[in-house]
Amino acid sequence: SVVESLASGTPVIASNIGSLARTITNDVDGLLFEPGAAADLAEKMRIMLNPRVRDRMALAARATADWPSMPC
């Protein structure tokens, strides 16, 4: 699940819909792409290949998962 990924320090690339969009803060603990936009998804995947970006988001992901009122 997304929450388990965040808790393990794995930044998430998710579609910008529903509870995913409420859980992930774009460019903080993961990346959101527009539904049906393959080029947008590909760009987010390219961004996540950058180790600095990925490491920064990994720290934020852990903090998000530890947040007591995180939406589920």
Side-chain angles (χ1 to χ4, degrees):
S1 80
V2 171
V3 175
E4 290 168 333
S5 292
L6 294 172
S8 70
T10 304
V12 174
I13 300 174
S15 184
N16 191 12
I17 59 171
S19 64
L20 295 173
R22 289 189 301 273
T23 303
I24 302 300
T25 302
N26 192 48
D27 201 34
V28 174
D29 51 16
L31 296 170
L32 297 170
F33 67 94
E34 291 307 311
D40 191 25
L41 172 58
E43 175 64 13
K44 302 306 190 221
M45 293 169 71
R46 186 194 64 72
I47 291 168
M48 198 62 77
L49 290 174
N50 181 321
R52 288 183 184 169
V53 170
R54 198 171 50 245
D55 291 347
R56 174 181 55 82
M57 288 186 188
L59 290 173
R62 285 187 199 98
T64 297
D66 287 340
W67 192 44
S69 59
M70 187 180 80
C72 294

